[in-house]
Short mmCIF file of all heavy atoms in Angstrom, two decimals:
data_model
loop_
_atom_site.label_atom_id
_atom_site.label_comp_id
_atom_site.label_asym_id
_atom_site.label_seq_id
_atom_site.Cartn_x
_atom_site.Cartn_y
_atom_site.Cartn_z
N VAL Y 64 -5.88 20.32 4.62
CA VAL Y 64 -5.19 20.80 3.42
C VAL Y 64 -4.46 19.65 2.76
O VAL Y 64 -4.52 19.46 1.54
CB VAL Y 64 -4.21 21.94 3.78
CG1 VAL Y 64 -3.31 22.29 2.60
CG2 VAL Y 64 -4.97 23.17 4.24
N GLU Y 65 -3.77 18.85 3.55
CA GLU Y 65 -3.02 17.71 3.04
C GLU Y 65 -3.96 16.72 2.34
O GLU Y 65 -3.69 16.27 1.22
CB GLU Y 65 -2.29 17.01 4.18
CG GLU Y 65 -1.46 15.82 3.74
CD GLU Y 65 -0.76 15.16 4.91
OE1 GLU Y 65 -1.36 15.04 6.00
OE2 GLU Y 65 0.39 14.76 4.72
N ASN Y 66 -5.08 16.40 2.98
CA ASN Y 66 -6.04 15.47 2.39
C ASN Y 66 -6.64 16.01 1.10
O ASN Y 66 -6.81 15.27 0.13
CB ASN Y 66 -7.14 15.13 3.39
CG ASN Y 66 -6.64 14.28 4.53
OD1 ASN Y 66 -5.59 13.63 4.45
ND2 ASN Y 66 -7.35 14.30 5.64
N ALA Y 67 -6.94 17.30 1.07
CA ALA Y 67 -7.49 17.91 -0.15
C ALA Y 67 -6.48 17.85 -1.28
O ALA Y 67 -6.83 17.57 -2.43
CB ALA Y 67 -7.91 19.36 0.13
N PHE Y 68 -5.20 18.10 -0.96
CA PHE Y 68 -4.16 18.03 -1.97
C PHE Y 68 -4.04 16.61 -2.52
O PHE Y 68 -4.00 16.40 -3.74
CB PHE Y 68 -2.81 18.47 -1.39
CG PHE Y 68 -1.68 18.33 -2.36
CD1 PHE Y 68 -1.38 19.35 -3.24
CD2 PHE Y 68 -0.92 17.18 -2.40
CE1 PHE Y 68 -0.34 19.22 -4.15
CE2 PHE Y 68 0.12 17.03 -3.31
CZ PHE Y 68 0.41 18.07 -4.18
N VAL Y 69 -3.97 15.64 -1.62
CA VAL Y 69 -3.84 14.24 -2.05
C VAL Y 69 -5.03 13.85 -2.92
O VAL Y 69 -4.87 13.24 -3.98
CB VAL Y 69 -3.70 13.31 -0.83
CG1 VAL Y 69 -3.85 11.84 -1.23
CG2 VAL Y 69 -2.36 13.53 -0.15
N GLU Y 70 -6.22 14.23 -2.49
CA GLU Y 70 -7.42 13.88 -3.23
C GLU Y 70 -7.44 14.54 -4.61
O GLU Y 70 -7.85 13.93 -5.60
CB GLU Y 70 -8.65 14.32 -2.42
CG GLU Y 70 -9.92 13.63 -2.86
CD GLU Y 70 -11.05 13.94 -1.89
OE1 GLU Y 70 -10.96 13.49 -0.73
OE2 GLU Y 70 -11.98 14.62 -2.31
N ALA Y 71 -6.96 15.78 -4.70
CA ALA Y 71 -7.01 16.52 -5.96
C ALA Y 71 -5.89 16.13 -6.92
O ALA Y 71 -6.11 16.12 -8.14
CB ALA Y 71 -6.95 18.02 -5.67
N PHE Y 72 -4.70 15.83 -6.40
CA PHE Y 72 -3.55 15.69 -7.29
C PHE Y 72 -2.86 14.34 -7.30
O PHE Y 72 -2.01 14.10 -8.15
CB PHE Y 72 -2.51 16.77 -6.94
CG PHE Y 72 -3.02 18.16 -7.12
CD1 PHE Y 72 -3.31 18.94 -6.03
CD2 PHE Y 72 -3.22 18.68 -8.39
CE1 PHE Y 72 -3.79 20.23 -6.18
CE2 PHE Y 72 -3.70 19.96 -8.55
CZ PHE Y 72 -3.98 20.74 -7.45
N LEU Y 73 -3.17 13.47 -6.36
CA LEU Y 73 -2.48 12.18 -6.31
C LEU Y 73 -3.46 11.05 -6.51
O LEU Y 73 -4.62 11.14 -6.18
CB LEU Y 73 -1.78 12.00 -4.95
CG LEU Y 73 -0.71 13.03 -4.60
CD1 LEU Y 73 -0.15 12.74 -3.22
CD2 LEU Y 73 0.40 13.07 -5.62
N GLU Y 74 -2.95 9.99 -7.08
CA GLU Y 74 -3.75 8.80 -7.32
C GLU Y 74 -2.98 7.61 -6.81
O GLU Y 74 -1.81 7.42 -7.16
CB GLU Y 74 -4.01 8.67 -8.83
CG GLU Y 74 -4.85 7.51 -9.22
CD GLU Y 74 -5.10 7.49 -10.72
OE1 GLU Y 74 -6.01 8.19 -11.18
OE2 GLU Y 74 -4.34 6.80 -11.41
N LYS Y 75 -3.60 6.80 -5.97
CA LYS Y 75 -2.93 5.60 -5.47
C LYS Y 75 -2.83 4.58 -6.59
O LYS Y 75 -3.75 4.40 -7.37
CB LYS Y 75 -3.69 5.00 -4.30
CG LYS Y 75 -3.52 5.77 -3.03
CD LYS Y 75 -4.08 5.01 -1.88
CE LYS Y 75 -3.86 5.78 -0.60
NZ LYS Y 75 -4.34 5.06 0.56
N VAL Y 76 -1.70 3.91 -6.61
CA VAL Y 76 -1.45 2.87 -7.60
C VAL Y 76 -1.00 1.63 -6.85
O VAL Y 76 -0.07 1.68 -6.05
CB VAL Y 76 -0.35 3.31 -8.60
CG1 VAL Y 76 -0.05 2.22 -9.59
CG2 VAL Y 76 -0.74 4.60 -9.29
N ASP Y 77 -1.69 0.52 -7.07
CA ASP Y 77 -1.26 -0.74 -6.48
C ASP Y 77 0.07 -1.13 -7.07
O ASP Y 77 0.37 -0.82 -8.22
CB ASP Y 77 -2.29 -1.85 -6.75
CG ASP Y 77 -3.59 -1.61 -6.00
OD1 ASP Y 77 -3.54 -0.96 -4.93
OD2 ASP Y 77 -4.63 -2.06 -6.50
N GLU Y 78 0.88 -1.84 -6.30
CA GLU Y 78 2.21 -2.22 -6.75
C GLU Y 78 2.18 -3.00 -8.07
O GLU Y 78 3.01 -2.79 -8.94
CB GLU Y 78 2.92 -3.04 -5.68
CG GLU Y 78 3.31 -2.22 -4.48
CD GLU Y 78 4.02 -3.04 -3.43
OE1 GLU Y 78 4.61 -4.08 -3.78
OE2 GLU Y 78 3.97 -2.64 -2.26
N ASP Y 79 1.20 -3.88 -8.24
CA ASP Y 79 1.15 -4.69 -9.46
C ASP Y 79 0.62 -3.88 -10.65
O ASP Y 79 0.73 -4.31 -11.78
CB ASP Y 79 0.31 -5.95 -9.25
CG ASP Y 79 -1.08 -5.67 -8.69
OD1 ASP Y 79 -1.20 -4.74 -7.88
OD2 ASP Y 79 -2.02 -6.38 -9.07
N GLU Y 80 0.08 -2.68 -10.41
CA GLU Y 80 -0.40 -1.83 -11.50
C GLU Y 80 0.58 -0.71 -11.84
O GLU Y 80 0.35 0.04 -12.77
CB GLU Y 80 -1.74 -1.18 -11.11
CG GLU Y 80 -2.87 -2.16 -10.93
CD GLU Y 80 -4.15 -1.46 -10.49
OE1 GLU Y 80 -4.22 -0.23 -10.58
OE2 GLU Y 80 -5.07 -2.16 -10.06
N ALA Y 81 1.66 -0.59 -11.09
CA ALA Y 81 2.60 0.50 -11.30
C ALA Y 81 3.25 0.41 -12.67
O ALA Y 81 3.54 -0.67 -13.17
CB ALA Y 81 3.67 0.48 -10.21
N GLU Y 82 3.49 1.56 -13.25
CA GLU Y 82 4.17 1.61 -14.55
C GLU Y 82 5.64 1.30 -14.34
O GLU Y 82 6.21 1.64 -13.30
CB GLU Y 82 4.00 2.99 -15.16
CG GLU Y 82 2.57 3.33 -15.50
CD GLU Y 82 2.43 4.74 -16.06
OE1 GLU Y 82 3.43 5.29 -16.53
OE2 GLU Y 82 1.32 5.27 -16.01
N PRO Y 83 6.28 0.70 -15.33
CA PRO Y 83 7.72 0.41 -15.20
C PRO Y 83 8.50 1.69 -14.94
O PRO Y 83 8.23 2.73 -15.53
CB PRO Y 83 8.10 -0.19 -16.55
CG PRO Y 83 6.80 -0.67 -17.13
CD PRO Y 83 5.74 0.22 -16.58
N GLY Y 84 9.44 1.60 -14.00
CA GLY Y 84 10.27 2.75 -13.68
C GLY Y 84 9.68 3.66 -12.63
O GLY Y 84 10.30 4.62 -12.24
N THR Y 85 8.45 3.37 -12.15
CA THR Y 85 7.85 4.23 -11.13
C THR Y 85 7.83 3.58 -9.77
O THR Y 85 7.47 4.22 -8.80
CB THR Y 85 6.39 4.60 -11.51
OG1 THR Y 85 5.63 3.39 -11.61
CG2 THR Y 85 6.34 5.37 -12.80
N GLU Y 86 8.24 2.32 -9.68
CA GLU Y 86 8.25 1.65 -8.38
C GLU Y 86 9.37 2.23 -7.53
O GLU Y 86 10.36 2.72 -8.03
CB GLU Y 86 8.49 0.14 -8.53
CG GLU Y 86 7.50 -0.58 -9.41
CD GLU Y 86 7.98 -0.67 -10.85
OE1 GLU Y 86 9.18 -0.50 -11.11
OE2 GLU Y 86 7.13 -0.89 -11.71
N GLU Y 87 9.17 2.12 -6.21
CA GLU Y 87 10.24 2.53 -5.31
C GLU Y 87 11.36 1.51 -5.42
O GLU Y 87 11.14 0.33 -5.68
CB GLU Y 87 9.72 2.58 -3.88
CG GLU Y 87 8.73 3.70 -3.65
CD GLU Y 87 8.33 3.78 -2.19
OE1 GLU Y 87 9.14 3.35 -1.33
OE2 GLU Y 87 7.25 4.27 -1.93
N ALA Y 88 12.58 1.95 -5.22
CA ALA Y 88 13.72 1.05 -5.29
C ALA Y 88 13.65 0.01 -4.19
O ALA Y 88 13.20 0.28 -3.09
CB ALA Y 88 15.03 1.85 -5.15
N ASP Y 89 14.08 -1.19 -4.51
CA ASP Y 89 14.09 -2.26 -3.52
C ASP Y 89 15.37 -2.16 -2.72
O ASP Y 89 16.46 -2.34 -3.23
CB ASP Y 89 14.02 -3.62 -4.24
CG ASP Y 89 14.01 -4.78 -3.26
OD1 ASP Y 89 13.86 -4.54 -2.05
OD2 ASP Y 89 14.14 -5.92 -3.72
N HIS Y 90 15.23 -1.80 -1.44
CA HIS Y 90 16.39 -1.63 -0.57
C HIS Y 90 16.56 -2.81 0.38
O HIS Y 90 17.23 -2.69 1.38
CB HIS Y 90 16.24 -0.33 0.24
CG HIS Y 90 16.21 0.89 -0.61
ND1 HIS Y 90 17.30 1.36 -1.29
CD2 HIS Y 90 15.20 1.74 -0.90
CE1 HIS Y 90 16.98 2.44 -1.95
NE2 HIS Y 90 15.70 2.70 -1.74
#
Side-chain angles (χ1 to χ4, degrees):
V64 170
E65 181 180 40
N66 290 340
F68 176 87
V69 169
E70 198 171 294
F72 298 107
L73 299 178
E74 181 177 277
K75 285 190 178 182
V76 178
D77 292 332
E78 289 181 24
D79 53 325
E80 295 178 14
E82 295 178 21
T85 61
E86 303 93 18
E87 291 184 26
D89 181 10
H90 297 290

